[in-house]
Amino acid sequence: MKAIVDQDTCISCGACVGTCPEVYSFNDDDKAQAISGDIPADLQEGAKDGRDQCPVDAIDIKE
C-alpha cells in the first residue's frame, strides 16, 4: 500500500500529519507528503484515517 498526496490539491491544513505523523509530513513547500515506498502494515489504518481527514481529498491510497 502506498499513499500519494496531490501537491496541487493540498491546502497544507495538516489534518493528515496530525492524524498519522508516521506516514505524513510537510515538505519544503509546506505541502503534505507521504513516506516513500510501501506503508508498513501497522501504519496502514492510520494512513487511511489521514486520507479520510483531508478536507480536499488530496490523498490517494493505492492498495
Side-chain angles (χ1 to χ4, degrees), residues 3 5 7 10 16-17 23-28 31-35:
V5 180
Q7 298 294 295
C10 178
C16 61
V17 176
V23 173
Y24 303 103
S25 62
F26 287 111
N27 62 21
D28 292 339
K31 300 281 186 158
Q33 65 182 8
I35 59 172

Side-chain angles (χ1 to χ4, degrees):
M1 163 187 285
K2 285 186 77 155
I4 301 159
V5 180
D6 183 332
Q7 298 294 295
D8 294 328
T9 304
C10 178
I11 60 171
S12 305
C13 73
C16 61
V17 176
T19 301
C20 190
E22 300 87 359
V23 173
Y24 303 103
S25 62
F26 287 111
N27 62 21
D28 292 339
D29 295 326
D30 290 326
K31 300 281 186 158
Q33 65 182 8
I35 59 172
S36 61
D38 289 332
I39 299 169
D42 63 325
L43 298 177
Q44 290 180 2
E45 285 303 312
K48 290 177 184 177
D49 289 344
R51 174 200 59 199
D52 295 344
Q53 294 300 314
C54 181
V56 294
D57 296 322
I59 302 170
D60 187 26
I61 293 184
K62 305 284 187 193
E63 299 280 340

